[in-house]
Amino acid sequence: MAHKVKDIRARLDEVAADRFKFHLSPRSDDRNVVRGREMSYSFVQASDVIGRGQDKDKIVEYLMDPSDGQSISVVPVVGIGGLGKTALAKLNDNVLKCLQKSKSLRTILSVVEGVGPSTKSFVDSCVSKFRYLRVLDLSDSSFEVLPSSIGTMKHLRLLDLSSNCRIHKLPNSICKLQNLEVLDLSGCEKLEELPKDIRYLIKLRIFFVTTKQKFLSGCPNSLRILALSNCGNLESLVETMQVCTSLRVLGIDNCGGLISLLPILKFLTTLETLVIENCEKLDLIEMEDNQDDFPTSLRALGFTGLPQLVAMPDWIKRSAISLQILVIDSCPNLTAFPEWLIHNVIMLMIILIVEISFIDPNLEDNNVTISNGAIVETRNFRLSNL
């Protein structure tokens, strides 16, 4: 070991001698360069990818001849950042060819976040070749037209078209998917309108929507979860909610044109979760004289970014027995809590109030934690005849 150390020192001395020979001097400048990652796209030119041909062939080989005897495999692509995992996943031409030889393919998932199918041919092949698909994930894609033959995929249970920034319209044939249970259209900000016969999706349970429509067309009465996001033109949900009598969860986010929900609440008698965020024009108190038909089974309620909220709506009182979670955030004009909320709610598990302009003394007197005059939070806190 001593000899090795001696050799290393001799080499270091040679480096030091070279420094003087070539007139090099040490510098102490901080020249750290932080380089951000380049923007990722859902397409790639094969000619731009170098050194991944062998890896691509291996993936195709695994898919074509899986060792466990199954008809198709899942091949994870893992490694540290910068190795080209995303670029490799985008080179799907040969992968698609080998998938077409699988006669019993059930699921196609987009496993690279933010990267989806970029070509119409890929989508057309998925629809035309894989008749037995149960799950089809085309999220983060950039195709403009969904083929009308989508209606022939009678076994499909889940269709994810979320975050497609180019699609304008869906074929009405999508309404022939009688076994479809989950449809995700969130983030499709150029989608002009929903298919007119969407109410015929008789088994649809979960529906996520982004659309430019002013009035949402009738949805199937089988819906259990409905989430509306970034529907800036949306003005009314009356036509939809008249038939969604079995809805359990309703989420509304960033729907700036929505003015009132009260006309529809009387239809949602089984609603358990209501979350409303960033709807600056929404008034939850107007015209609430007759509350006999309002929901009575709410378990979770969340209001965020509602400047029109100046008082807690009285219709919440009908769920005093069932309410367990209450979240209020960024409602600057809310000035007080009603007495019934403090004294009549039977089992409120969590209260979280952020960025309000007051602290109700009734809450402060009941062992609720107050931090900096802005956050009120309680866990496993029983409010019963206090």
Side-chain angles (χ1 to χ4, degrees), residues 235 252 255-262 276-286 303 305-310:
E235 297 178 358
I252 302 174
C255 297
L258 200 59
I259 297 176
S260 177
L261 282 183
L262 298 178
I276 306 173
E277 300 182 356
N278 306 314
C279 298
E280 59 269 17
K281 296 182 180 179
L282 187 61
D283 187 348
L284 295 172
I285 301 177
E286 181 187 11
F303 296 146
L306 304 181
Q308 298 297 326
L309 186 67
V310 296

Side-chain angles (χ1 to χ4, degrees), residues 81-331:
L83 287 181
K85 302 184 299 297
T86 301
L88 179 59
K90 294 174 184 177
L91 292 172
N92 53 31
D93 50 352
N94 286 343
V95 174
L96 181 59
K97 291 177 183 178
C98 76
L99 290 179
Q100 291 176 358
K101 296 183 180 182
S102 174
K103 298 181 179 179
S104 57
L105 189 64
R106 296 292 186 269
T107 300
I108 294 181
L109 290 177
S110 178
V111 296
V112 181
E113 184 179 357
V115 178
S118 59
T119 63
K120 182 177 182 295
S121 60
F122 182 90
V123 178
D124 290 342
S125 295
C126 289
V127 173
S128 61
K129 302 294 184 181
F130 308 130
R131 298 293 186 179
Y132 297 97
L133 276 181
R134 265 61 169 179
V135 175
L136 178 56
D137 180 2
L138 299 175
S139 59
D140 296 297
S141 54
S142 55
F143 60 87
E144 296 184 12
V145 179
L146 185 68
S148 58
S149 55
I150 187 73
T152 63
M153 305 184 73
K154 60 181 181 180
H155 301 287
L156 201 61
R157 304 289 194 275
L158 182 151
L159 177 60
D160 188 349
L161 300 173
S162 62
S163 302
N164 184 318
C165 60
R166 301 180 67 183
I167 194 166
H168 290 263
K169 188 177 182 180
L170 296 175
N172 199 54
S173 59
I174 199 174
C175 304
K176 296 180 180 180
L177 301 176
Q178 298 297 295
N179 288 307
L180 194 66
E181 298 178 3
V182 180
L183 178 58
D184 192 347
L185 303 176
S186 60
C188 298
E189 298 184 354
K190 291 189 177 181
L191 188 63
E192 298 289 345
E193 60 182 4
L194 299 178
K196 62 179 181 179
D197 293 329
I198 199 165
R199 64 184 181 277
Y200 294 127
L201 294 174
I202 58 176
K203 291 189 177 180
L204 193 64
R205 297 291 187 270
I206 303 175
F207 193 18
F208 301 100
V209 188
T210 298
T211 177
K212 291 184 176 182
Q213 288 178 252
K214 289 185 176 181
F215 306 97
L216 204 61
S217 55
C219 292
N221 58 14
S222 58
L223 274 185
R224 298 295 184 271
I225 299 175
L226 175 62
L228 305 167
S229 61
N230 300 310
C231 301
N233 298 329
L234 191 64
E235 297 178 358
S236 174
L237 292 171
V238 174
E239 184 179 351
T240 296
M241 297 308 169
Q242 284 179 337
V243 295
C244 292
T245 54
S246 299
L247 202 64
R248 299 290 190 274
V249 178
L250 175 60
I252 302 174
D253 180 19
N254 199 24
C255 297
L258 200 59
I259 297 176
S260 177
L261 282 183
L262 298 178
I264 70 169
L265 287 176
K266 62 182 180 181
F267 302 117
L268 306 180
T269 55
T270 62
L271 195 65
E272 296 179 356
T273 300
L274 176 61
V275 178
I276 306 173
E277 300 182 356
N278 306 314
C279 298
E280 59 269 17
K281 296 182 180 179
L282 187 61
D283 187 348
L284 295 172
I285 301 177
E286 181 187 11
M287 297 174 56
E288 57 171 325
D289 296 335
N290 185 7
Q291 304 175 14
D292 294 339
D293 297 325
F294 279 28
T296 60
S297 55
L298 281 174
R299 295 177 180 273
L301 184 63
F303 296 146
T304 299
L306 304 181
Q308 298 297 326
L309 186 67
V310 296
M312 292 298 290
D314 283 342
W315 50 265
I316 302 176
K317 187 190 306 184
R318 290 179 53 81
S319 296
I321 296 178
S322 60
L323 192 62
Q324 296 181 2
I325 299 175
L326 174 63
V327 177
I328 301 175
D329 185 1
S330 303
C331 298

